[in-house]
């Protein structure tokens, strides 16, 4: 978070829970990195992957995508991406994948590499990239790989898809039992499922506090506090954490503390964060009294709640995991954005055209058109590779943001 | 160029077989117009996992699209410049009105790009029929097999609903037989050419494959039989190039006849390939008894794997090496479309695997146009000289 020194972007004091988040994540990574001493098993899993059965088996889940985000935030992305290119990986591929593959080989990145995986779980509800990425990891680490195949929903969710994914839930459990040597406990699973759902509810409530004016947090804060719902959902610590974070947000609301002081304009962000420019971007928008109060990325980890049955997590997770945001059709994504724009009283849409993430980015022009037609609000695009800072042009982004904000101010007059 | 004279002579005499393939491959829109005038309904597809048999059994004509080699303008308003030229080029054709002969399109689940293209296509075109066929991505489990067959069942029902006609067991079996015949003829021709590459120029072989994804499937088996007979009799023979290096072309699609010519001029020849517009298209036959959608699912799962699907972590490399050995190849050329993720992800590993087995290889990355001729030839010659 940027300090308000009266010169630059006008942002409020940092969220107190930031420190707690850091502690939990540090503890988590220490536990994961010492797993070889404690005898615990480590699984690498994709961000949209079905993690709850792993937690129920006491397997430590590790997220290369979260690692990718850390690499990006610590501006180590360009170097690692370059290394991957030297290995033959095209510079047009997902920069999470490139950075992570390179980091695996040299134990690079901000935490000296991730702990070796005993098993790999890739779920394609976010993209096909993870299939190729995890195949490469499986070869490199000689670790068993389970692909949790969640057919794209586009407009409809079909029974045959549900049946197929339900069968895979059982196959996944068998795979995990074999790879970990532990026996699956269905009672434990119910408890983990309950905790996962509770954390998702709390996360949703946290994000919903941004409906307030001024908003106590921005999407950029969300990108930071998102880490636990991605990596440790199903754990009690996550529930506690979001309960406290929610309390802090409510308190900020009660005190009228906005994440951006003098919040005048409310914007929405689409696509993954540009990890190495978060600060810069939030300051840039704050300078225009604009707060990015909503986004499509943070909400991805609670929008499946509506499909999940609290009393039958295992039985309903197939649907929850299949109907993830990125597994829907472009027009459904647009609907979702339009709905959010109303809910959060949005004045403009900022789209990150992310060269790393084709399933998230292709279709953005059509979404823009639909949003303009339906809501008449201005839209803008910034292009980058989310963790490869070589791809980002600050000058161009700055010009675009200024022009975009001018449009928004014009409209408000 | 002494080769020109005999070629012109052949053309005059055998106008009706190879030249028909060449004409359809070069001008699919003219071929489509002719089909339409005969009352056909044309359904477009872009991927070799398209269950063409079902489309054909529904009485429709499946036609593969390859994008455009011309400028891309209209598609720029829908797909970013970092999208592969196949998706952009095909959308360009659709938006420019170049595909007005279409009655619909079908999008099997391939890569992320195709998934989004499918949505964008549905939202911005109005051809009549449209279907997403969300095939499984993994092909190595029983549950995936069952799902595959179920999805084909759904597609069959969608076709039936649209045409208002039932796809009978018999009609599907006949279609499967037709496609089996086409595929095995293509494989025979490939084998003849692998044994004796002079039998037909590479650019012409490519046109035969491409034509087989465009032309009337009912006529194809007979035409291919004739073509093979003619090829065996030597009428399409190229002047013998001495000591041409035998190469395997590996990648997604190769829609560039000029590439084959440049390669041959540089001292090489494609002895076999691992392409969607090649052996991946004709590999494997479908059983004609039992549950037919399940049989189709089996064939599509067992054939040479595409990198957008998962079979095992090593299947592709192993198959590629088998191909190299079986066809006594001197090397492999990876022919990849820029911005094609699945292929780009496999490349470092395939390269490493080949190198471990002492198979020389090189990478050529193209967009919708080939690199300039001189540059391309220099690269090919340099590679071939190292073999
Ligand atoms: S950024 Fe996009 S392409 Fe990369 S892993 Fe995430 S969803 Fe997949
Ligand atoms: S597989 Fe590659 S070439 Fe084919 S559509 Fe997808 S990205 Fe484009």
């Amino acid at each position: 978070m940027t300090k308000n020194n009266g010169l630059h972007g006008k942002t409020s004091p940092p969220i107190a829970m930031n420190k707690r988040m850091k502690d939990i994540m540090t503890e988590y990574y220490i536990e994961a990195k010492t797993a070889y001493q404690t005898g615990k098993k480590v699984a690498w899993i994709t961000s949209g992957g079905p993690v709850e059965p792993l937690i129920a088996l006491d397997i430590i889940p590790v997220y290369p995508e979260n690692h990718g985000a850390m690499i990006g935030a610590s501006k180590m992305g360009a170097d690692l991406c370059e290394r991957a290119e030297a290995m033959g990986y095209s510079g047009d591929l997902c920069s999470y994948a490139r950075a992570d593959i390179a980091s695996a080989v040299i134990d690079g990145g901000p935490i000296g590499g991730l702990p070796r995986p005993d098993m790999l779980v890739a779920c394609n509800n976010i993209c096909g990239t993870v299939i190729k990425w995890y195949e490469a990891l499986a070869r490199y680490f000689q670790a068993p790989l389970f692909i949790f195949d969640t057919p794209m929903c586009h407009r409809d969710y079909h029974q045959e898809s549900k049946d197929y994914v339900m069968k895979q839930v059982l196959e996944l459990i068998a795979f995990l039992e074999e790879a970990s040597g532990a026996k699956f406990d269905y009672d434990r699973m119910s408890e983990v499922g309950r905790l996962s759902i509770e954390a998702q509810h709390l996360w949703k409530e946290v994000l919903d506090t941004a409906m307030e004016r001024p908003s106590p947090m921005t999407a950029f804060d969300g990108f930071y506090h998102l880490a636990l719902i991605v990596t440790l959902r199903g754990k009690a610590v996550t529930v506690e954490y979001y309960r406290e974070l929610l309390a802090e947000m409510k308190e900020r609301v009660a005190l009228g503390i906005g994440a951006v002081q003098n919040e005048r304009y409310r914007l929405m962000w689409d696509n993954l964060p540009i990890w190495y420019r978060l600060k810069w971007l939030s300051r840039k928008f704050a300078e225009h009294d604009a707060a990015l109060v909503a986004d499509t990325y943070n909400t991805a980890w609670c929008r499946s709640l509506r499909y999940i049955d609290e009393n039958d997590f295992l039985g309903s997770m197939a649907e929850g995991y299949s109907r993830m945001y990125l597994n829907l059709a472009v027009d459904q994504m647009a609907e979702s954005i339009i709905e959010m724009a109303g809910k959060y009283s949005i004045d403009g849409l900022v789209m990150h055209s992310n060269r790393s993430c084709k399933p998230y980015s292709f279709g953005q022009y059509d979404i823009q058109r639909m949003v303009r037609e339906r809501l008449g609000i201005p839209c803008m695009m910034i292009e980058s590779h989310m963790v490869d800072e070589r791809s980002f042009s600050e000058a161009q982004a700055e010009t675009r943001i200024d022009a975009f904000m001018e449009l928004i101010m014009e409209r408000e007059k | 160029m002494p080769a020109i004279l005999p070629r012109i002579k052949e053309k005059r005499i055998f106008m009706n077989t190879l030249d028909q393939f060449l004409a359809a491959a070069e001008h699919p829109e003219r071929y489509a117009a002719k089909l339409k005038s005969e009352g056909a309904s044309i359904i477009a597809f872009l991927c070799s996992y398209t269950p063409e048999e079902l489309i054909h059994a529904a009485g429709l004509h499946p036609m593969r699209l390859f994008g455009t080699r011309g400028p891309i303008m209209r598609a720029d308003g829908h797909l970013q410049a970092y999208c592969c030229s196949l998706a952009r080029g095909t959308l360009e054709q659709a938006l420019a009105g170049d595909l007005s002969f279409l009655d619909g399109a079908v999008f099997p689940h391939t890569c992320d790009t195709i998934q989004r293209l499918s949505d964008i296509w549905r939202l911005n075109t109005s051809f009549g029929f449209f279907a997403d066929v969300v095939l499984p991505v993994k092909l190595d489990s029983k549950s995936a097999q069952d799902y595959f067959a179920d999805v084909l069942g759904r597609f069959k029902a969608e076709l039936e609903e649209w045409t208002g006609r039932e796809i009978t067991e018999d009609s599907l079996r006949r279609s499967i037989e037709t496609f089996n015949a086409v595929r095995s003829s293509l494989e025979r021709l490939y084998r003849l050419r692998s044994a004796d590459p002079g039998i037909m120029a590479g650019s012409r072989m490519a046109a035969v494959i491409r034509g087989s994804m465009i032309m009337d499937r009912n006529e194809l088996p007979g035409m291919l039989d004739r073509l093979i007979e003619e090829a065996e009799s030597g009428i399409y023979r190229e002047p013998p190039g001495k000591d041409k290096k035998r190469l395997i072309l590996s990648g997604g699609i190769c829609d560039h006849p000029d590439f084959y010519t440049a390669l041959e001029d540089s001292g090489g020849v494609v002895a076999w390939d691992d392409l969607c517009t090649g052996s991946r298209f004709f590999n494997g036959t479908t059983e004609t008894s039992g549950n037919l959608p399940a049989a189709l699912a089996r064939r599509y799962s067992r054939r040479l794997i595409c990198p957008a699907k998962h079979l095992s972590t090593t299947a592709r490399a192993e198959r590629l090496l088998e191909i190299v050995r079986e066809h006594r190849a001197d090397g492999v050329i990876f022919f990849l479309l820029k911005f094609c993720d699945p292929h780009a992800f496999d490349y470092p590993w395939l390269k490493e695997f080949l190198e471990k087995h002492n198979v020389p290889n090189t990478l050529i990355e193209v967009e919708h146009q080939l690199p300039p001729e001189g540059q391309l030839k220099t690269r090919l010659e340099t590679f071939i000289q190292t073999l």
Side-chain angles (χ1 to χ4, degrees), chain A residues 150-169:
Chain A
T150 45
M152 183 111 182
C153 300
H154 290 286
R155 288 168 296 170
D156 309 301
Y157 182 61
H158 296 303
Q159 186 61 42
E160 67 269 16
S161 162
K162 191 171 191 161
D163 295 343
Y164 173 39
V165 182
M166 293 269 265
K167 287 186 208 163
Q168 291 179 76
V169 171

Side-chain angles (χ1 to χ4, degrees), chain A residues 65 94 96 126-127 129-130 133 272 326 356-357 386:
Chain A
E65 288 157 83
C94 170
Y96 272 175
I126 47 171
C127 63
T129 282
V130 293
W133 178 0
L272 284 94
L326 284 184
S356 281
C357 192
M386 73 226 160

Side-chain angles (χ1 to χ4, degrees), chain A residues 365-384:
Chain A
Y365 288 128
D366 283 83
I367 294 176
Q368 261 195 9
R369 182 176 46 73
M370 289 182 248
V371 168
R372 279 205 189 101
E373 279 167 14
R374 292 268 290 277
L375 305 175
I377 58 173
C379 304
M380 71 164 290
M381 260 199 201
I382 307 177
E383 191 175 297
S384 97

Side-chain angles (χ1 to χ4, degrees), chain A residues 29-30 32-34 44 62 67 70-71 76 80 99-100 102-117 141:
Chain A
Y29 272 116
I30 289 175
K33 290 199 73 160
T34 52
W44 287 19
V62 164
H67 186 224
M70 292 197 301
I71 291 171
M76 298 171 99
L80 287 169
D100 175 65
S103 144
V105 175
I106 59 161
D107 279 339
I111 59 164
L114 292 175
R116 261 188 101 81
F141 289 112

Side-chain angles (χ1 to χ4, degrees), chain B residues 28-189:
Chain B
E29 69 294 342
R30 289 189 202 157
Y31 192 88
K34 183 192 123 228
L35 280 177
K36 288 235 62 132
S37 70
E38 293 160 3
S41 293
I42 303 177
I43 304 295
F45 66 97
L46 284 94
C47 171
S48 65
Y49 282 101
T50 308
E52 288 182 71
E53 291 88 343
L54 284 168
I55 301 172
H56 181 256
L60 307 170
H61 179 90
M63 184 176 282
R64 182 160 180 165
L65 304 178
F66 300 89
T68 173
R69 279 175 229 148
I72 293 176
M73 280 131 58
R74 292 170 182 84
D76 278 340
H78 301 270
L79 285 167
Q80 285 90 328
Y82 53 89
C83 171
C84 76
S85 58
L86 176 64
R88 295 175 78 230
T90 314
L91 186 65
E92 179 70 24
Q93 289 179 309
L95 299 177
D98 297 344
L99 304 177
S100 51
F101 54 84
L102 288 185
D103 293 284
V106 46
F107 293 86
H109 187 287
T110 315
C111 58
D112 293 332
T113 299
I114 289 285
Q115 296 318 291
R116 289 300 172 226
L117 175 65
S118 137
D119 295 336
I120 294 168
W121 181 285
R122 173 171 52 78
L123 293 166
N124 293 284
T125 64
S126 46
F127 289 115
F129 183 76
F130 173 89
D132 282 308
V133 185
V134 194
L135 303 175
V137 166
K138 65 175 178 186
L139 303 175
D140 60 343
S141 73
K142 163 88 172 57
S143 56
Q145 276 306 296
D146 293 345
Y147 170 69
F148 202 136
D150 287 346
V151 171
L152 293 184
R154 170 177 299 278
F155 180 49
K156 176 170 171 279
E158 283 171 353
L159 288 165
E160 288 173 333
E161 198 194 320
W162 190 68
T163 58
R165 278 189 309 270
E166 193 198 343
I167 298 177
T168 64
E169 178 96 7
D170 266 353
S171 68
L172 182 52
R173 182 172 301 109
R174 275 197 305 276
S175 291
I176 291 176
E177 282 162 1
T178 303
F179 281 85
N180 280 346
V182 169
R183 293 200 172 102
S184 53
S185 290
L186 287 172
E187 177 159 358
R188 231 181 101 205
L189 189 56

